[in-house]
Amino acid sequence: MFSKTSLLLAMLGLGLVMGTLPKVKLPTTPKIHRLEQQTELLSVQNPVATQMCFGFYGPILNNVSTTYEINYSVCANNYEMASQNIYCRWNSTLVGLSHDGDSGCNTFVDCATIVDYVEAFECFARVGAQESKTMYSISANATQIAATIQSDLLLLESRRDVCVNDAERDFVEDTASTYEHLNACLNGAALPNEPVSTERPSTTEIPDTEGTTGFRIYWN
Ligand SMILES: *[C@@H]1O[C@H](CO)[C@@H](O)[C@H](O)[C@H]1NC(C)=O
Ligand SMILES: *[C@@H]1O[C@H](CO)[C@@H](O)[C@H](O)[C@H]1NC(C)=O
Ligand SMILES: *[C@@H]1O[C@H](CO)[C@@H](O)[C@H](O)[C@H]1NC(C)=O
Ligand SMILES: *[C@@H]1O[C@H](CO)[C@@H](O)[C@H](O)[C@H]1NC(C)=O
């Protein structure tokens, strides 16, 4: 029988399936990789400068990483909350459909075991299509609902992807530029004058020849 319990279980399962992004990983690019290798070489060659340069630029690199992690989790949390909203908005409809199904027949039993939200509604649509007029009405509604949920979720996903991409771009640009300054420091360039937070080192500026249009993320 298509019980309310199994339906809610299916929906809870959905809550677990939706809204989860992989655990945050720091993005990297070939350019950052190259700069890191350069840093390693330079710090071996200039042990005296190393401590001073890392003392100054290390916290900045940490700050850039932490900022990225925070921004990333904002993107993930916003997506999570919004998809939970969709889930709540359609909950009563789904429970209502299950009641209609119960009064008709037991053919919806298989739908109850489906964990994915969209698939569950599509299951209603498929099974309902073979049944009475009531079932046909459920089928038509369920088809409509499945399509609506699907497009709502797609919209949320693309918003999340734009959000994550912005955070990644910030991270990659800030990391690369900090490594450039760190490497310049290891090469003997002076540290920027205090106060640090408002001033960017300018004497050792290295032009970003790769620009931003060819920006590409490579995951570790
Ligand atoms: C990074 O540094 C800025 C400026 O010093 C500061 O306002 C911000 O809170 C720092 N962020 C983190 C995550 O430490
Ligand atoms: C979904 O609806 C059912 C029945 O109205 C209710 O018992 C349940 O708490 C709801 N679940 C959520 C997550 O809102
Ligand atoms: C289908 O949706 C219409 C309006 O959206 C509603 O009046 C009708 O009761 C629904 N049918 C079923 C079987 O839930
Ligand atoms: C990341 O967060 C910082 C503040 O923590 C903010 O200044 C910056 O605009 C955010 N970047 C993006 C891409 O959201």
Side-chain angles (χ1 to χ4, degrees):
M1 185 192 117
F2 190 83
S3 72
K4 193 150 64 165
T5 313
S6 57
L7 179 69
L8 288 175
L9 274 179
M11 294 173 70
L12 280 177
L14 171 79
L16 294 177
V17 170
M18 288 194 322
T20 45
L21 273 176
K23 198 174 176 308
V24 61
K25 258 192 222 163
L26 294 179
T28 189
T29 63
K31 183 180 178 183
I32 289 178
H33 186 61
R34 185 159 37 77
L35 286 165
E36 280 171 345
Q37 288 177 325
Q38 222 175 57
T39 304
E40 266 180 55
L41 273 176
L42 288 170
S43 46
V44 171
Q45 288 164 9
N46 312 282
V48 178
T50 298
Q51 199 179 357
M52 177 189 72
C53 297
F54 273 89
F56 184 84
Y57 289 106
I60 297 179
L61 285 172
N62 283 340
N63 179 296
V64 172
S65 300
T66 309
T67 300
Y68 170 74
E69 282 166 8
I70 291 171
N71 287 1
Y72 180 96
S73 68
V74 167
C75 302
N77 288 341
N78 285 347
Y79 173 77
E80 176 100 25
M81 278 183 340
S83 54
Q84 282 301 318
N85 270 347
I86 291 180
Y87 159 65
C88 289
R89 179 150 31 99
W90 292 109
N91 184 21
S92 59
T93 309
L94 185 52
V95 171
L97 282 177
S98 85
H99 285 159
D100 290 340
D102 280 343
S103 63
C105 63
N106 291 333
T107 44
F108 286 155
V109 63
D110 291 339
C111 300
T113 62
I114 293 179
V115 166
D116 181 88
Y117 212 148
V118 172
E119 277 178 20
F121 274 108
E122 282 170 349
C123 177
F124 273 108
R126 199 170 50 246
V127 174
Q130 303 156 0
E131 299 301 326
S132 67
K133 274 216 161 79
T134 314
M135 295 305 122
Y136 188 79
S137 160
I138 292 173
S139 169
N141 284 11
T143 304
Q144 180 57 47
I145 292 167
T148 304
I149 292 175
Q150 187 126 52
S151 79
D152 284 356
L153 287 177
L154 277 177
L155 183 65
L156 292 185
E157 276 169 25
S158 78
R159 257 189 222 141
R160 178 197 62 192
D161 292 347
V162 167
C163 178
V164 167
N165 199 59
D166 285 346
E168 285 174 348
R169 194 193 46 230
D170 276 6
F171 172 83
V172 164
E173 286 174 356
D174 292 349
T175 300
S177 109
T178 306
Y179 266 113
E180 281 166 354
H181 291 122
L182 169 60
N183 291 349
C185 177
L186 291 170
N187 266 327
L191 290 175
N193 295 324
E194 311 288 343
V196 177
S197 49
T198 50
E199 260 182 57
R200 285 232 164 183
S202 53
T203 51
T204 59
E205 200 73 55
I206 297 172
D208 181 358
T209 49
E210 291 183 10
T212 51
T213 43
F215 176 73
R216 186 86 183 79
I217 290 289
Y218 295 86
W219 295 92
N220 279 320

